[in-house]
Amino acid sequence: MKRMTNRMMTAAAVLMIGAGVASAQDAMKAEIPFAFSVGGTVTEQGNYVVRMVPGASATKILGLYNTTTKRTYMVAAMLQSDVPKNWKASGAPRAAFDCSTGACSLRKVWFGEGNTYEFSGPKTKSGEMQLTEILLKSSTKGD
């Protein structure tokens, strides 16, 4: 199972690199001021380019590229869900991190349309998450 996951992530990375120019309009930027875990890997704080990796697979893969460290992190979405009402009302794309265990982990991403992508993370003792939200900005707007 681990070997298959590694192969899937490698294939997704190749697709992300190859499709980088073609899908640039779908990329978002996020300034994340704290370290966080994604897919079991601890990342650094910094500026990230966030996008869904294009591909024919039914599994949705999120790619996060740290523009400072030049590292890419990949994680498979566990499920897609309805957009929280307050997110939809604001219309602002965002990422949500659960910081209730003392360390933050990426739990949800919404690109401003479609469903919310959800990711697994450590279990909390109470079962409730304390979400910290980071707004995403389009990477195609002049910054």
Side-chain angles (χ1 to χ4, degrees), residues 33-50:
F34 47 81
F36 62 97
S37 66
V38 61
T41 302
V42 177
T43 68
E44 307 83 6
Q45 68 180 35
N47 294 313
Y48 283 83
V49 175
V50 181

PDB file of all heavy atoms in Angstrom, residues 33-50:
ATOM      1  N   PRO A  33       1.554  31.665   8.046  1.00  0.00           N
ATOM      2  CA  PRO A  33       2.534  32.158   9.025  1.00  0.00           C
ATOM      3  C   PRO A  33       2.947  31.155  10.100  1.00  0.00           C
ATOM      4  O   PRO A  33       3.489  31.548  11.132  1.00  0.00           O
ATOM      5  CB  PRO A  33       1.800  33.348   9.648  1.00  0.00           C
ATOM      6  CG  PRO A  33       0.366  32.959   9.586  1.00  0.00           C
ATOM      7  CD  PRO A  33       0.220  32.170   8.303  1.00  0.00           C
ATOM      8  N   PHE A  34       2.695  29.873   9.877  1.00  0.00           N
ATOM      9  CA  PHE A  34       3.063  28.865  10.875  1.00  0.00           C
ATOM     10  C   PHE A  34       3.409  27.565  10.156  1.00  0.00           C
ATOM     11  O   PHE A  34       2.982  27.322   9.032  1.00  0.00           O
ATOM     12  CB  PHE A  34       1.915  28.618  11.866  1.00  0.00           C
ATOM     13  CG  PHE A  34       0.565  28.435  11.213  1.00  0.00           C
ATOM     14  CD1 PHE A  34       0.178  27.212  10.666  1.00  0.00           C
ATOM     15  CD2 PHE A  34      -0.330  29.495  11.141  1.00  0.00           C
ATOM     16  CE1 PHE A  34      -1.059  27.044  10.065  1.00  0.00           C
ATOM     17  CE2 PHE A  34      -1.577  29.342  10.528  1.00  0.00           C
ATOM     18  CZ  PHE A  34      -1.938  28.105   9.992  1.00  0.00           C
ATOM     19  N   ALA A  35       4.221  26.730  10.808  1.00  0.00           N
ATOM     20  CA  ALA A  35       4.510  25.396  10.275  1.00  0.00           C
ATOM     21  C   ALA A  35       3.242  24.563  10.406  1.00  0.00           C
ATOM     22  O   ALA A  35       2.429  24.781  11.308  1.00  0.00           O
ATOM     23  CB  ALA A  35       5.651  24.759  11.052  1.00  0.00           C
ATOM     24  N   PHE A  36       3.067  23.603   9.511  1.00  0.00           N
ATOM     25  CA  PHE A  36       1.877  22.755   9.553  1.00  0.00           C
ATOM     26  C   PHE A  36       2.209  21.409   8.941  1.00  0.00           C
ATOM     27  O   PHE A  36       3.195  21.258   8.228  1.00  0.00           O
ATOM     28  CB  PHE A  36       0.702  23.412   8.816  1.00  0.00           C
ATOM     29  CG  PHE A  36       0.948  23.654   7.351  1.00  0.00           C
ATOM     30  CD1 PHE A  36       0.477  22.755   6.395  1.00  0.00           C
ATOM     31  CD2 PHE A  36       1.637  24.774   6.916  1.00  0.00           C
ATOM     32  CE1 PHE A  36       0.692  22.977   5.047  1.00  0.00           C
ATOM     33  CE2 PHE A  36       1.856  25.003   5.568  1.00  0.00           C
ATOM     34  CZ  PHE A  36       1.385  24.106   4.633  1.00  0.00           C
ATOM     35  N   SER A  37       1.366  20.423   9.238  1.00  0.00           N
ATOM     36  CA  SER A  37       1.567  19.118   8.620  1.00  0.00           C
ATOM     37  C   SER A  37       0.541  18.924   7.519  1.00  0.00           C
ATOM     38  O   SER A  37      -0.583  19.411   7.587  1.00  0.00           O
ATOM     39  CB  SER A  37       1.476  17.989   9.653  1.00  0.00           C
ATOM     40  OG  SER A  37       0.169  17.899  10.164  1.00  0.00           O
ATOM     41  N   VAL A  38       0.995  18.220   6.494  1.00  0.00           N
ATOM     42  CA  VAL A  38       0.137  17.890   5.365  1.00  0.00           C
ATOM     43  C   VAL A  38       0.538  16.494   4.915  1.00  0.00           C
ATOM     44  O   VAL A  38       1.710  16.236   4.657  1.00  0.00           O
ATOM     45  CB  VAL A  38       0.244  18.934   4.230  1.00  0.00           C
ATOM     46  CG1 VAL A  38       1.642  19.039   3.677  1.00  0.00           C
ATOM     47  CG2 VAL A  38      -0.730  18.629   3.112  1.00  0.00           C
ATOM     48  N   GLY A  39      -0.408  15.580   4.926  1.00  0.00           N
ATOM     49  CA  GLY A  39      -0.122  14.212   4.525  1.00  0.00           C
ATOM     50  C   GLY A  39       0.952  13.552   5.362  1.00  0.00           C
ATOM     51  O   GLY A  39       1.736  12.763   4.861  1.00  0.00           O
ATOM     52  N   GLY A  40       1.040  13.901   6.639  1.00  0.00           N
ATOM     53  CA  GLY A  40       2.024  13.300   7.529  1.00  0.00           C
ATOM     54  C   GLY A  40       3.397  13.942   7.484  1.00  0.00           C
ATOM     55  O   GLY A  40       4.316  13.499   8.173  1.00  0.00           O
ATOM     56  N   THR A  41       3.569  14.987   6.680  1.00  0.00           N
ATOM     57  CA  THR A  41       4.852  15.686   6.572  1.00  0.00           C
ATOM     58  C   THR A  41       4.724  17.071   7.169  1.00  0.00           C
ATOM     59  O   THR A  41       3.774  17.787   6.878  1.00  0.00           O
ATOM     60  CB  THR A  41       5.265  15.814   5.080  1.00  0.00           C
ATOM     61  OG1 THR A  41       5.330  14.509   4.516  1.00  0.00           O
ATOM     62  CG2 THR A  41       6.597  16.504   4.941  1.00  0.00           C
ATOM     63  N   VAL A  42       5.694  17.460   7.994  1.00  0.00           N
ATOM     64  CA  VAL A  42       5.691  18.806   8.570  1.00  0.00           C
ATOM     65  C   VAL A  42       6.352  19.755   7.577  1.00  0.00           C
ATOM     66  O   VAL A  42       7.435  19.476   7.059  1.00  0.00           O
ATOM     67  CB  VAL A  42       6.424  18.842   9.928  1.00  0.00           C
ATOM     68  CG1 VAL A  42       6.463  20.256  10.479  1.00  0.00           C
ATOM     69  CG2 VAL A  42       5.743  17.906  10.918  1.00  0.00           C
ATOM     70  N   THR A  43       5.680  20.854   7.302  1.00  0.00           N
ATOM     71  CA  THR A  43       6.167  21.846   6.347  1.00  0.00           C
ATOM     72  C   THR A  43       6.615  23.104   7.086  1.00  0.00           C
ATOM     73  O   THR A  43       6.382  23.247   8.286  1.00  0.00           O
ATOM     74  CB  THR A  43       5.055  22.224   5.361  1.00  0.00           C
ATOM     75  OG1 THR A  43       4.044  22.934   6.083  1.00  0.00           O
ATOM     76  CG2 THR A  43       4.455  21.017   4.694  1.00  0.00           C
ATOM     77  N   GLU A  44       7.199  24.011   6.346  1.00  0.00           N
ATOM     78  CA  GLU A  44       7.655  25.283   6.894  1.00  0.00           C
ATOM     79  C   GLU A  44       6.597  26.358   6.674  1.00  0.00           C
ATOM     80  O   GLU A  44       5.790  26.264   5.771  1.00  0.00           O
ATOM     81  CB  GLU A  44       8.947  25.733   6.184  1.00  0.00           C
ATOM     82  CG  GLU A  44      10.047  24.715   6.166  1.00  0.00           C
ATOM     83  CD  GLU A  44       9.918  23.686   5.037  1.00  0.00           C
ATOM     84  OE1 GLU A  44       9.026  23.812   4.182  1.00  0.00           O
ATOM     85  OE2 GLU A  44      10.697  22.737   5.025  1.00  0.00           O
ATOM     86  N   GLN A  45       6.638  27.391   7.510  1.00  0.00           N
ATOM     87  CA  GLN A  45       5.795  28.556   7.246  1.00  0.00           C
ATOM     88  C   GLN A  45       6.306  29.205   5.968  1.00  0.00           C
ATOM     89  O   GLN A  45       7.437  28.961   5.558  1.00  0.00           O
ATOM     90  CB  GLN A  45       5.859  29.540   8.406  1.00  0.00           C
ATOM     91  CG  GLN A  45       7.206  30.225   8.570  1.00  0.00           C
ATOM     92  CD  GLN A  45       7.214  31.190   9.734  1.00  0.00           C
ATOM     93  OE1 GLN A  45       6.590  30.964  10.749  1.00  0.00           O
ATOM     94  NE2 GLN A  45       7.950  32.264   9.587  1.00  0.00           N
ATOM     95  N   GLY A  46       5.482  30.016   5.330  1.00  0.00           N
ATOM     96  CA  GLY A  46       5.943  30.707   4.135  1.00  0.00           C
ATOM     97  C   GLY A  46       4.842  30.980   3.144  1.00  0.00           C
ATOM     98  O   GLY A  46       3.656  30.830   3.432  1.00  0.00           O
ATOM     99  N   ASN A  47       5.261  31.377   1.966  1.00  0.00           N
ATOM    100  CA  ASN A  47       4.342  31.666   0.869  1.00  0.00           C
ATOM    101  C   ASN A  47       4.209  30.414   0.007  1.00  0.00           C
ATOM    102  O   ASN A  47       5.212  29.832  -0.401  1.00  0.00           O
ATOM    103  CB  ASN A  47       4.848  32.839   0.030  1.00  0.00           C
ATOM    104  CG  ASN A  47       4.839  34.127   0.825  1.00  0.00           C
ATOM    105  OD1 ASN A  47       3.858  34.441   1.481  1.00  0.00           O
ATOM    106  ND2 ASN A  47       5.927  34.860   0.783  1.00  0.00           N
ATOM    107  N   TYR A  48       2.960  30.048  -0.274  1.00  0.00           N
ATOM    108  CA  TYR A  48       2.676  28.816  -1.008  1.00  0.00           C
ATOM    109  C   TYR A  48       1.831  29.105  -2.238  1.00  0.00           C
ATOM    110  O   TYR A  48       0.989  30.003  -2.226  1.00  0.00           O
ATOM    111  CB  TYR A  48       1.902  27.832  -0.121  1.00  0.00           C
ATOM    112  CG  TYR A  48       2.774  27.137   0.894  1.00  0.00           C
ATOM    113  CD1 TYR A  48       3.087  27.741   2.102  1.00  0.00           C
ATOM    114  CD2 TYR A  48       3.293  25.872   0.636  1.00  0.00           C
ATOM    115  CE1 TYR A  48       3.900  27.108   3.041  1.00  0.00           C
ATOM    116  CE2 TYR A  48       4.103  25.229   1.561  1.00  0.00           C
ATOM    117  CZ  TYR A  48       4.397  25.847   2.763  1.00  0.00           C
ATOM    118  OH  TYR A  48       5.203  25.212   3.672  1.00  0.00           O
ATOM    119  N   VAL A  49       2.070  28.310  -3.273  1.00  0.00           N
ATOM    120  CA  VAL A  49       1.165  28.232  -4.412  1.00  0.00           C
ATOM    121  C   VAL A  49       0.394  26.932  -4.207  1.00  0.00           C
ATOM    122  O   VAL A  49       0.990  25.871  -3.997  1.00  0.00           O
ATOM    123  CB  VAL A  49       1.930  28.214  -5.758  1.00  0.00           C
ATOM    124  CG1 VAL A  49       0.968  28.006  -6.922  1.00  0.00           C
ATOM    125  CG2 VAL A  49       2.717  29.507  -5.934  1.00  0.00           C
ATOM    126  N   VAL A  50      -0.928  27.034  -4.233  1.00  0.00           N
ATOM    127  CA  VAL A  50      -1.803  25.906  -3.926  1.00  0.00           C
ATOM    128  C   VAL A  50      -2.650  25.615  -5.151  1.00  0.00           C
ATOM    129  O   VAL A  50      -3.254  26.521  -5.724  1.00  0.00           O
ATOM    130  CB  VAL A  50      -2.721  26.260  -2.723  1.00  0.00           C
ATOM    131  CG1 VAL A  50      -3.619  25.099  -2.364  1.00  0.00           C
ATOM    132  CG2 VAL A  50      -1.907  26.730  -1.537  1.00  0.00           C
TER     133      VAL A  50
END
